[in-house]
Amino acid sequence: MRIEEHPILTFDRGREVEFTFNGRKMKGYEGEPIAAALHANGVRVLSYSKKLHRPRGFYCAIGNCSSCLMTVNGEPNVRVCTEKLREGMVIETQQGRGDLK
């Protein structure tokens, strides 16, 4: 299931690209939000709550909440609901508040 319409965001569908999520190769469209590409690949849990470790999914989709914070290309705390997908990105589920190496 691919998210194609949103009341605020535009999903510009570019060419098909490959990216890695938690070590698994996946495909999406260049320019679409990373969270939309993950959703289309069956990923429903984007993070876990800090205190009770409950799963969090694609929630606000406009960058206002912290449900979609992930590590992208080694950079923690990236809001994947608004960050555009590019070829070869390495996306990882973030543990806790993120680790600046």
Side-chain angles (χ1 to χ4, degrees):
M1 180 175 154
R2 180 166 299 282
I3 299 170
E4 296 184 6
E5 292 183 30
H6 187 277
I8 297 171
L9 300 175
T10 57
F11 294 159
D12 299 324
R13 182 184 280 192
R15 64 185 177 92
E16 189 174 72
V17 295
E18 195 170 88
F19 66 98
T20 304
F21 172 66
N22 289 345
R24 291 178 28 222
K25 295 284 186 190
M26 297 185 170
K27 292 185 179 181
Y29 291 97
E30 190 171 59
E32 75 178 331
I34 294 169
L38 290 170
H39 188 83
N41 280 278
V43 177
R44 300 296 184 261
V45 176
L46 300 178
S47 67
Y48 292 87
S49 65
K50 307 295 183 259
K51 186 174 182 179
L52 299 176
H53 310 289
R54 291 184 282 198
R56 291 181 168 178
F58 201 4
Y59 182 64
C60 79
I62 57 173
N64 283 339
C65 72
S66 60
S67 290
C68 69
L69 294 179
M70 296 185 132
T71 301
V72 178
N73 295 332
E75 181 183 337
N77 300 318
V78 175
R79 284 182 162 78
V80 298
C81 69
T82 57
E83 186 73 22
K84 306 247 184 230
L85 184 66
R86 293 184 314 276
E87 177 77 48
M89 285 183 133
V90 177
I91 300 145
E92 300 169 306
T93 301
Q94 182 169 298
Q95 304 301 321
R97 299 184 191 280
D99 182 24
L100 293 172
K101 295 177 180 169

